[in-house]
Amino acid sequence: GIQVEQSPPDLILQEGANSTLRCNFSDSVNNLQWFHQNPWGQLINLFYIPSGTKQNGRLSATTVATERYSLLYISSSQTTDSGVYFCAVVAGTASKLTFGTGTRLQVTL
Amino acid sequence: DAGITQSPRHKVTETGTPVTLRCHQTENHRYMYWYRQDPGHGLRLIHYSYGVKDTDKGEVSDGYSVSRSKTEDFLLTLESATSSQTSVYFCATGPPGPDTQYFGPGTRLTVL
């Protein structure tokens, strides 16, 4: 099946810093989503982005489908951005999401 | 998100006992999913349903069964719980393909 790799696995930032999280996938996809899991365990949709670029406030995402990667940008990070960020994809004719193992982000004061 | 609830939210049980987790949605989504989340593995799909009485296996389905008798409810059953099934279980709804999935709050299950 499709492989989804995320980097870095862990990231520590000071409040106000910017960061880029990467998601590489091994096959063509028709669905790619970014999720944030907050420290209380809730999974929250950030973006549905199988291709192109989207922005939502301080967060933006870009997927280059032909090169099989997606990037999540966090600008001016805040402590509330802490948690784990997951990339998940649906490949080809599959009907289910395959998740990466996530990037754990800690934003400190 | 998307009116998804899970029950119970926490459960402690003993090895060998049957356990049923419930997922309830109010969005009339056709697809429903059960995942488990373990350290170092991210989220892995257990089973999913693409309609009432229509289910299929995910990548870690051994030891689990599911049922869906109504659009809004998707049940996950551990027939005889084992310690390896200690995990956090998430339900999700939504279609595959070009749309998003929405996750419930999770159920933390501990098997002693």
Side-chain angles (χ1 to χ4, degrees):
Chain A
I2 191 168
Q3 303 299 310
V4 182
E5 296 180 353
Q6 292 186 242
S7 59
D10 296 282
L11 187 58
I12 300 175
L13 300 174
Q14 277 199 320
E15 196 172 42
N18 303 328
S19 62
T20 300
L21 283 58
R22 187 176 180 101
C23 172
N24 292 332
F25 41 95
S26 60
D27 205 347
S28 59
V29 300
N30 57 35
N31 182 341
L32 186 147
Q33 297 176 43
W34 283 97
F35 294 89
H36 176 219
Q37 187 170 36
N38 64 26
W40 296 269
Q42 181 65 41
L43 280 153
I44 300 164
N45 286 296
L46 296 176
F47 294 103
Y48 161 71
I49 186 164
S51 63
T53 298
K54 289 187 178 179
Q55 181 156 6
N56 184 2
R58 296 181 296 103
L59 273 60
S60 64
T62 295
T63 298
V64 182
T66 54
E67 297 187 20
R68 299 181 182 170
Y69 72 89
S70 183
L71 302 174
L72 178 68
Y73 305 98
I74 305 174
S75 63
S76 304
S77 58
Q78 300 176 357
T79 55
T80 53
D81 295 331
S82 295
V84 183
Y85 290 81
F86 289 103
C87 167
V89 303
V90 176
T93 57
S95 54
K96 46 190 184 279
L97 283 171
T98 298
F99 281 77
T101 53
T103 292
R104 183 174 299 276
L105 173 65
Q106 182 181 352
V107 181
T108 62
L109 293 172
Chain B
D1 262 8
I4 304 169
T5 57
Q6 293 184 229
S7 60
R9 294 292 313 280
H10 302 270
K11 186 172 182 65
V12 179
T13 191
E14 293 188 350
T15 297
T17 60
V19 176
T20 296
L21 309 182
R22 179 178 182 249
C23 177
H24 179 79
Q25 57 132 339
T26 59
E27 300 299 312
N28 202 35
H29 285 155
R30 180 182 171 195
Y31 283 79
M32 298 185 75
Y33 306 83
W34 277 108
Y35 294 88
R36 61 178 289 174
Q37 184 176 27
D38 304 291
H41 291 279
L43 281 90
R44 293 178 293 173
L45 182 67
I46 305 170
H47 283 280
Y48 68 101
S49 170
Y50 47 96
V52 173
K53 292 185 172 29
D54 293 322
T55 64
D56 204 351
K57 296 179 180 180
E59 60 184 301
V60 290
S61 59
D62 288 347
Y64 301 94
S65 62
V66 290
S67 65
R68 192 165 178 205
S69 59
K70 298 185 290 185
T71 299
E72 58 266 36
D73 290 327
F74 192 32
L75 303 181
L76 177 71
T77 297
L78 292 64
E79 299 291 346
S80 177
T82 66
S83 59
S84 65
Q85 294 175 311
T86 292
S87 187
V88 180
Y89 291 86
F90 286 95
C91 173
T93 72
D99 210 324
T100 57
Q101 282 193 16
Y102 301 94
F103 282 79
T107 293
R108 183 173 296 276
L109 175 67
T110 302
V111 183
L112 301 176

